[in-house]
Amino acid sequence: MSSSLNRRGAVRAAGWPAGILVLTTGIGLAAAFALTIWVTPTYEARSSMTVAAYSPAPANTGRPAPADGTGIPAAGGYDPVLSQGAVATVARLAESARVAHLTAAQTGIPAGAVSGHLHASYQPGVQVVTLTGDARTSRRAAAIVNTAATVLRAQVASAGTFGSGTTLTVSPWDRAATSTTATPTNLPRNLLLGGVAGLLAGLVIVVVRRRTDSTLRSTDQIERELQVGILGTLPRVPDRHQRKGALGAWRRLRVARPVRSAVAALAPLTDIPDRRLLVTSAYQDDGKAFVSALISLALAEQYYRVTLVETDLHRPGVGPHFPGGGEYTVQQLMSKPEQLKSAQGPLRVVSADECDPELSRALLRSVAFRDFLTSTREHSDVLVLDGPPVLVGAGLSALAAECDAAVVVVRACSTGVAEARRAIQVLDRLQLPIAGIIVVDARDEGGRTRYRSGSAPTYAPAPAPLPDASPALSPALSPPAGTAVDTDEERYASTGDEADRLTRSGGAPDQPAQQDTEPATSR
């Protein structure tokens, strides 16, 4: 069975590796360009020369040779074919080591500054040779090109006749001038090397980060590492919808649908009246208040009478999800719990005033708080408590003794594996059954993990499985053996049913093993 992929989550998860690769490649290109321009700036200078070949004069002309010293015969004809053929020869001569050494000697610079820095180019059919020289300064580049043109002209003139008495001449067309613009040296090659180096560095960063990443990323990894079933997976909610609170997010089908599935998986727990569900997480920023509000809305939608109570008194977060929805706070109702009866609607929200951890722990352990929870039986089918974080919260042990099960919230790509394991272990030591896990910002909906027969994830704590236990809940959450479960029509049919419900709710919190006769928590 393949996993149902959350496309937006997958794109978001693949975004950071792609972003790192793009970033490192860009840094490599920018560094190569900067080094090429600023660290090794070069300047180029150019000069053009014409190449011409002349045939010798006839023997019976009797005309004297010219006196200008150009080497051009007084009579004879210009030979375009030989001129075009000689262009390549002159270009090769310009790039020779002899011309480079003579140019360096006349310029007064090292031969290495000329050799390999003087180039000759030409185009077929044109008797023009272009000399190009590069140097660290524009003045030196112009001096190299102009001196090389003089040396090349002298070398061609000293060669004498070319072929069958043909005379070859090289005449400068223009002189090189100084340039104020630096020309990148081997810029394409440097950019290629910089881009490749940046890409390799990005790949190394991605691989190292994946190997050292200790967070829970996929639903299959969460089930495998924590050995607890997943109730639902919530996709990432955009910030504009999160600012509207749980009420705004509930209107989105992508959010409401997985929450309804999670509530359906909790049916074996919530179908029994007067159930108390603790929603907690490893740390504060895992989204437990958001999940608590969504679960309460889904239960109220199923015609349950729900009371949502904020019990994370150190950092309360339920109130912002229901602007104006909570008439009273926990601190106020602890002294006058009857005030909650006046609240209308299937969902009652009880927010809390922020207090320090010591006071929070004392309030949650007080008799007044337990009496307040007991008073909710008269008007609530399900009591949802937004509890403190397991690893940093205060008063969790007192809440665990008052609740029937816990829902653990895990934020994908944020909650660490070690932290989530410790949270599960703490709840196990408190003997609080775990109904399942709800994943926030999930990338997928799970389903790829395969288990052999008898090796499916166990739920903490994991007593002996019952044949009719729901796979999403701990077997410890099933109704006691021999106890008839009320239907929706019979649940509140008579006062006798209500008395029977209160009788089933009584028990000692220190005796979780006697679940055949007593429930796991006291009221």
Side-chain angles (χ1 to χ4, degrees):
M1 181 169 56
S2 62
S3 174
S4 178
L5 184 64
N6 182 353
R7 293 182 180 180
R8 296 184 181 181
V11 171
R12 179 170 53 85
W16 72 264
I20 290 178
L21 294 179
V22 172
L23 178 62
T24 54
T25 302
I27 292 176
L29 293 174
F33 184 81
L35 291 175
T36 304
I37 296 297
W38 297 329
V39 177
T40 58
T42 58
Y43 296 85
E44 286 187 353
R46 289 183 176 86
S47 177
S48 300
M49 309 179 68
T50 59
V51 179
Y54 295 90
S55 300
N60 56 358
T61 59
R63 295 181 181 181
D68 57 0
T70 60
I72 302 177
Y78 168 73
D79 193 339
V81 176
L82 290 178
S83 298
Q84 294 179 8
V87 171
T89 303
V90 174
R92 294 290 298 274
L93 180 62
E95 295 179 348
S96 64
R98 179 176 178 79
V99 173
H101 285 284
L102 292 175
T103 301
Q106 294 184 20
T107 310
I109 60 177
V114 178
S115 180
H117 298 272
L118 183 63
H119 309 282
S121 60
Y122 63 93
Q123 295 181 358
V126 180
Q127 289 80 40
V128 177
V129 176
T130 301
L131 296 180
T132 304
D134 59 81
R136 296 291 182 89
T137 62
S138 60
R139 186 183 299 275
R140 173 174 290 187
I144 290 174
V145 172
N146 293 328
T147 305
T150 303
V151 171
L152 182 61
R153 181 182 182 186
Q155 290 296 311
V156 172
S158 64
T161 59
F162 181 74
S164 303
T166 302
T167 303
L168 183 66
T169 62
V170 177
S171 302
W173 196 348
D174 56 6
R175 291 181 60 83
T178 58
S179 175
T180 58
T181 303
T183 302
T185 301
N186 295 324
L187 181 60
R189 184 196 64 183
N190 294 344
L191 290 178
L192 178 61
L193 294 177
V196 172
L199 182 61
L200 293 177
L203 290 175
V204 171
I205 293 175
V206 171
V207 172
V208 171
R209 180 172 176 178
R210 285 190 178 277
R211 290 184 176 273
T212 58
D213 188 9
S214 61
T215 60
L216 296 169
R217 308 186 67 84
S218 65
T219 54
D220 295 325
Q221 180 192 10
I222 294 172
E223 287 185 336
R224 184 174 60 253
E225 295 289 346
L226 304 183
Q227 292 295 296
V228 178
I230 293 180
L231 295 174
T233 56
L234 297 181
R236 181 178 178 85
V237 180
D239 294 338
R240 64 180 183 275
H241 294 289
Q242 288 187 0
R243 287 191 292 267
K244 299 177 182 178
L247 288 175
W250 178 253
R251 299 186 182 98
R252 306 193 68 209
L253 183 61
R254 295 180 62 246
V255 175
R257 181 180 297 170
V259 178
R260 293 189 181 106
S261 301
V263 168
L266 290 171
L269 170 70
T270 56
D271 281 349
I272 303 176
D274 189 24
R275 286 300 188 179
R276 299 174 181 178
L277 185 65
L278 176 66
V279 181
T280 184
S281 60
Y283 288 107
Q284 186 73 36
D285 57 350
D286 289 334
K288 61 179 182 60
F290 182 62
V291 173
S292 301
L294 291 176
I295 290 179
S296 301
L297 289 171
L299 289 171
E301 186 184 57
Q302 299 296 324
Y303 302 102
Y304 289 95
R305 296 181 303 172
V306 185
T307 300
L308 174 60
V309 181
E310 173 68 85
T311 56
D312 187 3
L313 306 183
H314 180 47
R315 292 183 178 179
V318 170
H321 293 286
F322 300 94
E327 299 181 6
Y328 306 100
T329 63
V330 173
Q331 289 85 345
Q332 293 173 343
L333 293 176
M334 286 176 63
S335 58
K336 296 181 179 180
E338 66 277 359
Q339 294 178 343
L340 189 60
K341 298 179 182 180
S342 61
Q344 301 296 325
L347 175 60
R348 296 173 172 85
V349 179
V350 181
S351 59
D353 296 327
E354 184 176 355
C355 59
D356 59 82
E358 292 297 329
L359 180 58
S360 172
R361 187 180 296 106
L363 290 176
L364 296 179
R365 292 178 178 178
S366 63
V367 177
F369 179 75
R370 288 198 297 270
D371 293 341
F372 160 67
L373 295 182
T374 303
S375 66
T376 61
R377 296 174 177 173
E378 301 178 5
H379 48 71
S380 298
D381 300 329
V382 181
L383 182 64
V384 180
L385 291 87
D386 176 44
V390 176
L391 301 182
V392 295
L396 181 65
S397 58
L399 290 175
E402 299 294 334
C403 295
D404 299 297
V407 172
V408 180
V409 179
V410 172
R411 186 180 295 276
C413 304
S414 177
T415 305
V417 177
E419 290 78 6
R421 285 178 178 174
R422 288 203 299 270
I424 297 297
Q425 292 173 359
V426 169
L427 295 176
D428 189 9
R429 292 175 182 174
L430 293 175
Q431 298 183 353
L432 180 62
I434 300 177
I437 292 176
I438 292 182
V439 184
V440 180
D441 293 350
R443 295 183 299 170
D444 58 280
E445 299 177 1
R448 288 179 296 182
T449 303
R450 297 175 181 266
Y451 302 99
R452 297 187 302 272
S453 177
S455 62
T458 57
Y459 306 109
L466 297 177
D468 57 347
S470 172
L473 294 175
S474 170
L477 300 181
S478 301
T483 301
V485 179
D486 296 335
T487 63
D488 292 339
E489 294 78 6
E490 300 173 346
R491 184 176 301 169
Y492 304 109
S494 64
T495 57
D497 292 336
E498 180 69 10
D500 181 68
R501 180 177 65 83
L502 296 177
T503 303
R504 291 201 308 269
S505 301
D510 298 331
Q511 299 176 359
Q514 301 177 1
Q515 296 193 15
D516 291 337
T517 57
E518 297 180 1
T521 59
S522 65
R523 300 288 180 264

